Amino acid sequence: MAGLITYIKESFGELKNNVSWTPWPEAQKLAVIVAVFSIIFSLAIWGVDTVFSRAVKAYFEMIH
């Protein structure tokens, strides 16, 4: 158990002192870009899903 606590303390120290973090303003800008593209892609997937759903429904109504 003591080894686990030491490992966690050393991990936090490594993250705090030896990792180069992106500056906060740049991180915020990148987060906005990711959010915008996520919304765009989700809308595109929704649109394609809607078109395919209607096409499959029309196909099955046609053969029924």
Side-chain angles (χ1 to χ4, degrees):
M1 185 67 158
L4 177 63
I5 293 171
T6 302
Y7 173 76
I8 292 171
K9 285 180 182 179
E10 289 176 358
S11 296
F12 277 109
E14 184 82 18
L15 288 171
K16 184 177 178 183
N17 300 318
N18 298 333
V19 174
S20 59
W21 296 96
T22 304
W24 184 244
E26 186 178 351
Q28 287 178 319
K29 184 177 93 173
L30 293 173
V32 169
I33 292 171
V34 168
V36 168
F37 277 100
S38 296
I39 291 168
I40 290 170
F41 286 133
S42 66
L43 290 173
I45 290 170
W46 171 77
V48 170
D49 181 59
T50 301
V51 169
F52 281 134
S53 175
R54 289 180 182 171
V56 168
K57 184 177 179 181
Y59 172 76
F60 281 111
E61 286 177 355
M62 185 175 66
I63 65 170
H64 186 267

